[in-house]
Amino acid sequence: MNILLVDDHAVVRQGYASLLRAVLPTMQVREAASGEEALARVQEQVPNLVIMDFGLPGISGLETTRRLRQRLPQLRVLFFSMHDELPLVRQALDAGASGYLTKNSAPEVLIEAVQRVLAGQAYIEQPLATQLACTSHQPASDPRLQCMTQRELEIFVMLAKGTPVRAIAEQLCISAKTVSNHLTLLKSKLQVSSHAELVHLGIDLGVVRVAG
């Protein structure tokens, strides 16, 4: 059996790959640094499981998952991301993911998730599963979120959480100018005129949680 671990941060990717190899010694763990590389790796050898980051340079993790699942409907994908916003979790599941957990999870949680998904079960990190259950009566996706591309949604969430443009650019491996262009388009699509209004809209849509 083999796992493909997709993450654009080399230190993070190699650290988790080492963990998986140590705990699951019979498992072959391959790595990819982008969605494009992941698609090529899968074409070379179909994995039993893809562990997918959400934010990738170029093709997003969501779009990569959609393309992989379109080509291989039985392929299991486990999202492993810094994002814990419910709209993004729902989009990952809608894209065909078998599970979702955040990078705040303990190593043993990652291992449990991998084993469960490999066994054909679904796995959603417990706090996220509870939130999804509590909001199951709500529409899966607000129309204002549906109007966004995957990259726009990702940038919207980060902006709404107060992440500076330059930091977003560094995390997504794109230029600050590209982030600013996305921000301009988002303001137009969402009919807001300021960053503050965008943050308030993020709270209203549930992509940002207010501590209280």
Side-chain angles (χ1 to χ4, degrees):
M1 298 182 79
N2 73 92
I3 293 173
L4 178 62
L5 179 59
V6 187
D7 195 301
D8 61 313
H9 293 91
V11 174
V12 173
R13 185 181 68 249
Q14 292 167 12
Y16 286 117
S18 296
L19 170 67
L20 291 167
R21 292 183 183 112
V23 178
L24 305 170
T26 61
M27 193 74 61
Q28 178 189 4
V29 180
R30 297 184 299 147
E31 302 174 33
S34 67
E36 291 87 345
E37 187 178 353
L39 293 171
R41 294 281 191 192
V42 171
Q43 192 163 356
E44 294 168 2
Q45 180 183 11
V46 178
N48 299 95
L49 171 66
V50 177
I51 300 177
M52 184 73 70
D53 192 11
F54 204 106
L56 297 172
I59 304 174
S60 71
L62 277 173
E63 180 60 26
T64 303
T65 298
R66 286 196 179 94
R67 294 188 188 188
L68 288 173
R69 292 272 302 171
Q70 186 175 24
R71 186 190 309 171
L72 301 164
Q74 302 306 314
L75 183 65
R76 299 185 181 100
V77 178
L78 171 65
F79 268 84
F80 188 43
S81 169
M82 66 178 182
H83 293 296
D84 63 355
E85 295 78 18
L86 293 189
L88 300 187
V89 177
R90 289 193 182 100
Q91 291 221 349
L93 299 176
D94 289 344
S98 300
Y100 196 108
L101 71 160
T102 68
K103 291 181 179 178
N104 291 327
S105 303
E108 56 267 26
V109 175
L110 172 60
I111 298 301
E112 180 186 0
V114 167
Q115 292 173 328
R116 292 267 293 274
V117 174
L118 279 171
Q121 303 173 33
Y123 188 96
I124 300 175
E125 183 181 344
Q126 188 56 54
L128 295 179
T130 300
Q131 291 177 59
L132 286 170
C134 290
T135 60
S136 61
H137 63 285
Q138 299 177 358
S141 181
D142 188 283
R144 288 169 291 186
L145 298 179
Q146 294 177 344
C147 78
M148 301 182 201
T149 66
Q150 304 308 322
R151 179 46 56 91
E152 285 173 347
L153 178 59
E154 192 171 13
I155 290 174
F156 170 59
V157 169
M158 298 174 81
L159 287 168
K161 291 171 71 175
T163 308
V165 167
R166 189 167 297 279
I168 294 174
E170 291 175 355
Q171 290 184 40
L172 299 182
C173 298
I174 57 180
S175 70
K177 186 177 187 304
T178 298
V179 176
S180 296
N181 289 341
H182 279 299
L183 175 56
T184 299
L185 288 171
L186 282 169
K187 286 180 179 178
S188 176
K189 282 187 175 184
L190 298 172
Q191 298 183 333
V192 298
S193 58
S194 68
H195 200 145
E197 287 183 27
L198 188 145
V199 172
H200 286 302
L201 181 59
I203 294 171
D204 291 342
L205 296 179
V207 302
V208 177
R209 290 193 298 275
V210 179

